[in-house]
Amino acid sequence: MTHEQPSRSIPGYRLGDPELPQAPVSSADFAHMKTACLLGDDDIDALRRSHDVLVPQTEAILDVWYGFVGSHDFLVASFVDTNTQQPNADYLSRVRARFGQWIADTARANYDDAWLRYQLEIGRRHHRVGKNRTDEVTSTPLISFRYLPLLAQPIVDTLRPFLGTPSRDREDVDAMHNAWRKSVLLQVTLWSHPYIIEGDY
Amino acid sequence: MTHEQPSRSIPGYRLGDPELPQAPVSSADFAHMKTACLLGDDDIDALRRSHDVLVPQTEAILDVWYGFVGSHDFLVASFVDTNTQQPNADYLSRVRARFGQWIADTARANYDDAWLRYQLEIGRRHHRVGKNRTDEVTSTPLISFRYLPLLAQPIVDTLRPFLGTPSRDREDVDAMHNAWRKSVLLQVTLWSHPYIIEGDY
């Protein structure tokens, strides 16, 4: 399966861009990472089943996630324009568009080399090596490391009602939800790479 | 509630040791961390309800966790004696004793300053600044960062059957399980501190 490119119009979206650097995680390392967080073929299948459940609800899911961020100053701070001290609405909306596409990409679960490269790029955009550059904004230099793993919890927890449509049985909803939990944990671990002391990742 | 000290006989167990350095996480930072991963008072209550459910099953839980580690060479590697290239049984058993106490401490959920200091000490024992020293062993210099967040998944997933005793209703088991998930995520995030580039945590 190659990456479909439904979203070339999303500014800064670079999944499949061959100019992204190689990921500093070998395919053997990545296989171990999947094993460590119990992400198996059944989870990949469950993620893919979630695609058509979640994608039509993308805006509603983003409303919940942005609602959570927006309700906490210490999280909104990452989107503040340091000139005006106000949240930068354009920055928020550009990130939101990519976040919406991220739902589809996570659910498509085509975790190949192109996907890995883009995960590392997402990591750089959280860290001071790359934050603000993609969107050419003046904002805080860094999202503190601590929030990468921690925010996996609200992201995954709040997804559950969107998976539990009336036509799905509970076992299937659990399977999709668990697969999402593993995938998000795997991704935040990849995104953490730029924060880690060289040699310690 | 002060820390009970049921376990002074566990080698290297230092919860409550005033000689541990101050945690480099302020109480305001820690409050934000709990908020970010949705750990609230209900979760603290649920963790405490899990104490008497889990503690009598400690050895069986550790059997599952050690079984998981033991079934993967890339995880066992952290316990290998680099002189003999064989797993160091004494090192494994010393860590196991502390890991058993960690179940009780997590469930006691008295996440105060002494607890925070000890979490940072646990982090150092995973990282090259402190690995092997507590147990005076010759082993690999580092547990790679990536496994700290990733192993939260098997630890928490495999806990569920131990929470689901026949006398508990499903809602209460879910509450305890979710609270454990949040607490473990919070803890692995704290343990990651020594791995993070200065200023980026």
Side-chain angles (χ1 to χ4, degrees), chain A:
Chain A
M1 183 160 78
T2 57
H3 291 284
E4 299 162 47
Q5 294 293 350
S7 310
R8 286 199 184 278
S9 63
I10 297 176
Y13 178 65
R14 294 184 65 186
L15 179 58
D17 183 341
E19 292 184 16
L20 284 176
Q22 195 70 45
V25 173
S26 71
S27 58
D29 289 340
F30 186 57
H32 286 162
M33 291 176 72
K34 287 188 287 189
T35 298
C37 73
L38 307 176
L39 185 85
D41 290 343
D42 286 354
D43 297 301
I44 298 295
D45 290 344
L47 285 160
R48 290 177 181 165
R49 287 198 305 280
S50 81
H51 183 277
D52 290 356
V53 180
L54 294 176
V55 169
Q57 305 180 85
T58 295
E59 292 305 315
I61 296 166
L62 293 171
D63 284 346
V64 172
W65 289 346
Y66 271 63
F68 180 73
V69 169
S71 66
H72 296 293
D73 285 348
F74 67 95
L75 297 175
V76 178
S78 298
F79 294 102
V80 161
D81 183 321
T82 42
N83 293 322
T84 66
Q85 296 302 320
Q86 295 300 312
N88 181 332
D90 186 49
Y91 184 25
L92 279 158
S93 84
R94 287 169 61 107
V95 172
R96 183 179 166 120
R98 295 196 296 270
F99 212 167
Q101 181 60 37
W102 174 83
I103 295 172
D105 291 337
T106 297
R108 192 172 295 130
N110 184 15
Y111 301 159
D112 60 6
D113 181 66
W115 180 86
L116 259 186
R117 289 184 189 214
Y118 188 50
Q119 297 313 306
L120 274 289
E121 170 66 11
I122 292 174
R124 290 188 289 271
R125 292 173 182 187
H126 287 74
H127 186 258
R128 61 177 84 246
V129 297
K131 188 169 179 290
N132 308 328
R133 292 188 194 176
T134 300
D135 301 305
E136 297 178 333
V137 292
T138 307
S139 184
T140 55
L142 173 83
I143 296 172
S144 294
F145 161 77
R146 67 192 80 161
Y147 295 121
L148 274 62
L150 294 173
L151 290 176
Q153 190 72 27
I155 285 177
V156 177
D157 280 9
T158 56
L159 206 60
R160 179 154 187 116
F162 297 101
L163 290 166
T165 57
S167 64
R168 296 271 171 182
D169 64 46
R170 176 161 181 158
E171 199 175 321
D172 191 39
V173 174
D174 282 346
M176 293 189 289
H177 199 209
N178 287 335
W180 263 86
R181 197 174 294 285
K182 296 171 187 178
S183 178
V184 174
L185 192 63
L186 182 64
Q187 292 184 64
V188 297
T189 303
L190 290 167
W191 300 348
S192 300
H193 188 276
Y195 294 80
I196 306 300
I197 294 168
E198 181 151 9
D200 293 351
Y201 186 78

Side-chain angles (χ1 to χ4, degrees), chain B residues 12-159:
Chain B
Y13 178 65
R14 295 184 65 188
L15 179 59
D17 184 339
E19 292 184 17
L20 285 176
Q22 195 70 45
V25 173
S26 70
S27 58
D29 289 340
F30 185 56
H32 286 162
M33 292 176 72
K34 288 189 285 189
T35 299
C37 73
L38 306 176
L39 185 86
D41 291 342
D42 286 355
D43 296 301
I44 299 295
D45 291 344
L47 285 160
R48 289 177 181 165
R49 287 199 304 280
S50 81
H51 183 278
D52 290 357
V53 180
L54 294 176
V55 169
Q57 304 180 85
T58 295
E59 291 307 315
I61 295 167
L62 293 171
D63 284 346
V64 172
W65 289 346
Y66 271 64
F68 179 75
V69 169
S71 65
H72 296 292
D73 285 348
F74 67 95
L75 297 175
V76 178
S78 299
F79 294 102
V80 161
D81 183 321
T82 43
N83 293 322
T84 66
Q85 296 303 320
Q86 295 299 313
N88 181 330
D90 186 49
Y91 185 24
L92 278 158
S93 85
R94 287 169 62 106
V95 172
R96 182 177 166 122
R98 295 195 296 270
F99 211 168
Q101 182 60 36
W102 175 83
I103 295 172
D105 291 338
T106 298
R108 192 172 294 129
N110 184 14
Y111 300 160
D112 59 6
D113 181 66
W115 180 86
L116 258 185
R117 290 184 189 213
Y118 188 49
Q119 296 314 304
L120 274 289
E121 170 66 12
I122 292 175
R124 289 187 290 270
R125 291 173 183 186
H126 287 74
H127 185 258
R128 61 177 84 244
V129 296
K131 188 170 179 288
N132 308 328
R133 291 188 195 177
T134 299
D135 301 306
E136 298 178 333
V137 293
T138 307
S139 184
T140 55
L142 173 83
I143 296 173
S144 295
F145 161 78
R146 68 192 78 164
Y147 295 121
L148 273 63
L150 293 173
L151 291 175
Q153 190 71 28
I155 285 176
V156 177
D157 280 11
T158 56
L159 205 60

